[in-house]
Amino acid sequence: DTAVSQTPKYLVTQMGNDKSIKCEQNLGHDTMYWYKQDSKKFLKIMFSYNNKELIINETVPNRFSPKSPDKAHLNLHINSLELGDSAVYFCASSQDKYRSSYEQYFGPGTRLTVT
Amino acid sequence: DAKTTQPTSMDCAEGRAANLPCNHSTISGNEYVYWYRQIHSQGPQYIIHGLKNNETNEMASLIITEDRKSSTLILPHATLRDTAVYYCIVRVAGYLRNLEIHLWWVISGTYKYIFGTGTRLKVLA
C-alpha cells in the first residue's frame, strides 16, 4: 500500500489556468506538508498543516491555496499559473505528538509544466 | 536559508563504505540532524537522525562530533541502488504566525526542514 500518494504524477497546462494537485496519506499522521523542487533540484517547504490547520506558510504567492478536508488529505490549488510555477511538487506527512522522531514520508511527486 | 553545508558530489566504489560529511556549525542545542536521500525522480526518503549520540539503523550510521558542528553519514556497504542525492538537514522550529499558534505549536511539536543542496553520491561498479 502506498503511504503517501499524489495525483496526478504529471501535469502539463497553459499559463493562466487553475489546477489542483491532490495528496493523501494512509499513515494516520497528523501533519502534512507541501514542498516545491525547482529545476535546480532545490527542495523548499511551502506549507504545513496539522489536523487541518495551517501551521507553516512560507513566502508563497497567494495564488497557491492549500486545502485540507481532513487530516489524511492536503490538496494544493494553484490559480493563474505562471511559467515559474513549473517544478516538481512533493507532498509529505509526519507523525506528531511528543515523539522524538519526526521523520517525514514523501510522496512520489507531481511534475508540473506550465507552457 | 540552509543551515548545513555538504560537498556537491562524491563517488564511491560498490561494496565500500560511503562516508558523507556535513557541516552544521550554527546548530542549536535542541536541533536534530536528519539525513534524507532522493533517488532520481522519487520523493525524498528518510535515512536516520540524531541529536548528540551516534546512531545506527539498518540503512546507515550517523556519527556526530562532540561539539555537534558536523556529522558524517556512513553507508557501510554501498550498492548501485544507493546512488542518490543525500541531504543533511537540521530540524528547525516551526514557523509561527501569532502567539496563540506559537503556544499550540509548542505543544504539538510541528517542525519544518530546510533542505540544502545535498551531496550527489555516485556508486561505481
Side-chain angles (χ1 to χ4, degrees), chain B residues 91-109:
Chain B
R91 193 181 73 187
V92 183
Y95 185 81
L96 310 174
R97 289 194 301 168
N98 58 48
L99 182 59
E100 287 182 356
I101 288 183
H102 169 77
L103 292 174
W104 178 87
W105 165 79
V106 168
I107 295 171
S108 73

Side-chain angles (χ1 to χ4, degrees), chain B residues 60-118:
Chain B
S61 295
L62 175 61
I63 308 298
I64 301 175
T65 57
E66 195 167 337
D67 63 8
R68 302 187 69 237
K69 292 186 177 182
S70 65
S71 60
T72 301
L73 177 74
I74 301 172
L75 307 179
H77 305 287
T79 70
L80 297 177
R81 285 177 292 183
D82 292 324
T83 292
V85 177
Y86 287 76
Y87 295 99
C88 169
I89 302 160
V90 170
R91 193 181 73 187
V92 183
Y95 185 81
L96 310 174
R97 289 194 301 168
N98 58 48
L99 182 59
E100 287 182 356
I101 288 183
H102 169 77
L103 292 174
W104 178 87
W105 165 79
V106 168
I107 295 171
S108 73
T110 299
Y111 297 90
K112 68 174 182 180
Y113 296 135
I114 297 179
F115 283 81
T117 54

Side-chain angles (χ1 to χ4, degrees), chain B residues 6-11 20 36-45 47 59 75 79-87 117-123:
Chain B
Q6 301 174 251
T8 304
S9 63
M10 292 180 64
D11 290 342
L20 292 90
Y36 281 75
R37 72 180 182 185
Q38 187 173 21
I39 297 172
H40 181 63
S41 299
Q42 297 181 22
Q45 176 191 22
I47 301 173
M59 289 182 69
L75 307 179
T79 70
L80 297 177
R81 285 177 292 183
D82 292 324
T83 292
V85 177
Y86 287 76
Y87 295 99
T117 54
T119 296
R120 186 172 297 278
L121 175 69
K122 189 174 182 180
V123 180

Side-chain angles (χ1 to χ4, degrees), chain A residues 38-106:
Chain A
D38 59 26
S39 58
K40 296 182 180 178
K41 303 299 183 183
F42 193 71
L43 196 64
K44 188 171 183 180
I45 190 165
M46 300 173 68
F47 300 102
S48 169
Y49 267 72
N50 182 285
N51 279 320
K52 301 193 297 175
E53 287 194 54
L54 180 65
I55 298 304
I56 295 173
N57 183 357
E58 291 297 297
T59 50
V60 177
N62 56 15
R63 297 182 295 104
F64 291 79
S65 53
K67 293 284 191 303
S68 182
D70 54 63
K71 74 173 192 177
H73 295 84
L74 181 62
N75 303 323
L76 184 64
H77 189 76
I78 314 170
N79 290 327
S80 303
L81 278 156
E82 300 177 356
L83 293 176
D85 297 332
S86 295
V88 180
Y89 292 85
F90 288 100
C91 176
S93 73
S94 67
Q95 184 55 31
D96 171 65
K97 275 187 187 167
Y98 310 112
R99 284 175 54 153
S100 63
S101 62
Y102 290 84
E103 63 265 28
Q104 295 183 12
Y105 294 80
F106 284 78

Side-chain angles (χ1 to χ4, degrees), chain A residues 1-3 9 23-24 27-29 31 47 51 53-54 58 61 70 72 74 78 88 103-104 110-113 115:
Chain A
D1 287 341
T2 304
K9 188 168 177 60
C23 177
E24 177 182 3
L27 298 166
H29 287 168
T31 307
F47 300 102
N51 279 320
E53 287 194 54
L54 180 65
E58 291 297 297
D70 54 63
L74 181 62
I78 314 170
V88 180
E103 63 265 28
Q104 295 183 12
T110 295
R111 182 174 294 277
L112 171 65
T113 302
T115 61

